[in-house]
Amino acid sequence: MAKKRPQTKATNPRTKAGATGVDEPVPVVGAREPCPCGSGRRYKACHGRAAAHAVTELVQRPFEGLPGECDWVALRELVPAATVELSLKGGLPEGVPSVTLATVLPMAWPALRRDDGSVLLGLQNDTPSGDLSRDLAGTLRRAFAAEPGTPVTASDQASDVRLQDLLDPDAVFEPTVHSGFEFWVPGSAENASPDVAASLERANAAAIPTAKLSGVDAAYWCETPEKNHLRWVMPHPEERLLDALARLHAAGVSSLGEGTRLVGSFRAHGLMVPVWDLPRSMGAEDCEKPAAEFAERLASALEIDTPLTPEERRARGGLTNRQVTLS
């Protein structure tokens, strides 16, 4: 849900009737320029009002409705280096052979139009509004218009579309997790400019080894100096998920095996992310079977709708007290 302020009712703020009678997006122009819809009013007093309102919206689940919402959240908050090929409604624009979502780009560029016309869209950048989906869609559109071989710089101008308007809702969202950021440079890192090479070296040095589990959705193993962790983005409503985790915790079956424990969770973009501590000896492959078994236990616990027992309420309180909000 988004926090909304009262606004005067107006004609659809995102479209205008084209010559064919089909609604088309109203382009963004200067605030004091005439609105492109032909109303005769200034843009800021007409369709620009909705665009300005979008800047102050707070959208709790910006990726809701997109394929792979949980993985979108994971790539935004958890995964250092990953890419996903994106599919657009109606196909790619002319001259754009591919669009790739990337966790991070060199020098924190919002997007990059490569020499061959392909587009890289950065996910982990700061954005100007409370709607990450709208900001990323605006960046993607500016990347389509950029000259090949140039990065796309940040902009505070509100977009009139969201990712949900641009991306194919039936496409599969399949992240590829990388050990480093060499995907920035086609061919070989030796082809990078000095600035990109320096950024690549810094990014690789800071990256935490991470792997995506293959047997369950949106679960990511990572290695840190003291211990390993499993962080699992889950789509279930928060209250229902907390109850289910509390039931498993009280029953002593919330871990992923010997030496592991459920230590808490955090919220990110409207979803919950339970976190387990793992021993240093437990790699990503070792998590596959325990995670699949836990998924079955969780599915059964989610089906229970009886009130929590006193012990389960205490377990739930402990989990809630160890919960933090990232975004």
Side-chain angles (χ1 to χ4, degrees), residues 86 88 91-100 112-114 116-120 140-146 148:
L86 298 180
L88 275 65
L92 296 168
E94 184 178 357
V96 179
S98 65
V99 176
T100 303
L112 171 65
R113 184 88 185 270
R114 282 180 163 163
D116 65 355
S118 61
V119 168
L120 290 178
L140 186 55
R141 274 186 155 183
R142 288 187 286 114
F144 292 153

Side-chain angles (χ1 to χ4, degrees), residues 113-189:
R113 184 88 185 270
R114 282 180 163 163
D115 291 337
D116 65 355
S118 61
V119 168
L120 290 178
L121 176 66
L123 181 58
Q124 294 182 9
N125 294 323
D126 292 335
T127 55
S129 85
D131 186 353
L132 182 57
S133 174
R134 189 178 300 279
D135 295 332
L136 288 169
T139 299
L140 186 55
R141 274 186 155 183
R142 288 187 286 114
F144 292 153
E147 290 294 324
T150 60
V152 176
T153 57
S155 171
D156 59 1
Q157 199 153 44
S159 169
D160 61 344
V161 296
R162 307 179 74 235
L163 288 174
Q164 288 81 347
D165 302 316
L166 300 180
L167 301 184
D168 181 354
D170 298 320
V172 177
F173 191 82
E174 294 183 345
T176 298
V177 178
H178 303 277
S179 59
F181 295 87
E182 282 74 18
F183 65 85
W184 285 351
V185 186
S188 170

Side-chain angles (χ1 to χ4, degrees), residues 64-320:
E64 185 175 14
L66 291 174
E69 179 188 6
C70 293
D71 283 310
W72 277 91
V73 172
L75 267 55
R76 168 73 182 185
E77 300 295 340
L78 307 178
V79 182
T83 55
V84 185
E85 295 300 311
L86 298 180
S87 298
L88 275 65
K89 293 179 180 178
L92 296 168
E94 184 178 357
V96 179
S98 65
V99 176
T100 303
L101 180 72
T103 48
V104 181
L105 293 178
M107 277 77 76
W109 290 329
L112 171 65
R113 184 88 185 270
R114 282 180 163 163
D115 291 337
D116 65 355
S118 61
V119 168
L120 290 178
L121 176 66
L123 181 58
Q124 294 182 9
N125 294 323
D126 292 335
T127 55
S129 85
D131 186 353
L132 182 57
S133 174
R134 189 178 300 279
D135 295 332
L136 288 169
T139 299
L140 186 55
R141 274 186 155 183
R142 288 187 286 114
F144 292 153
E147 290 294 324
T150 60
V152 176
T153 57
S155 171
D156 59 1
Q157 199 153 44
S159 169
D160 61 344
V161 296
R162 307 179 74 235
L163 288 174
Q164 288 81 347
D165 302 316
L166 300 180
L167 301 184
D168 181 354
D170 298 320
V172 177
F173 191 82
E174 294 183 345
T176 298
V177 178
H178 303 277
S179 59
F181 295 87
E182 282 74 18
F183 65 85
W184 285 351
V185 186
S188 170
E190 295 177 357
N191 299 327
S193 68
D195 285 345
V196 171
S199 184
L200 176 62
E201 184 177 356
R202 290 192 300 269
N204 282 342
I208 295 173
T210 301
K212 186 180 188 298
L213 300 196
S214 60
V216 294
D217 292 334
Y220 291 81
W221 169 94
C222 69
E223 179 184 7
T224 62
E226 283 117 24
K227 61 186 72 173
N228 299 341
H229 303 280
L230 184 71
R231 300 176 290 186
W232 193 340
V233 186
M234 296 186 172
H236 316 291
E238 181 175 330
E239 296 303 312
R240 183 178 162 210
L241 179 55
L242 279 170
D243 282 352
L245 291 173
R247 296 182 197 277
L248 297 178
H249 201 62
V253 291
S254 64
S255 75
L256 299 176
E258 185 178 356
T260 74
R261 67 188 185 105
L262 175 64
V263 292
S265 64
F266 57 86
R267 298 182 192 91
H269 305 291
L271 299 181
M272 264 189 66
V273 187
V275 179
W276 285 262
D277 277 354
L278 312 173
R280 285 299 306 276
S281 60
M282 191 171 186
E285 299 82 2
D286 302 320
C287 293
E288 293 284 3
K289 183 179 178 181
E293 293 171 346
F294 178 85
E296 293 180 0
R297 297 196 298 273
L298 179 63
S300 297
L302 287 165
E303 294 297 321
I304 302 173
D305 57 6
T306 57
L308 297 179
T309 66
E311 185 177 357
E312 290 168 346
R313 287 199 298 271
R314 286 193 295 271
R316 193 184 195 279
L319 291 171
T320 304

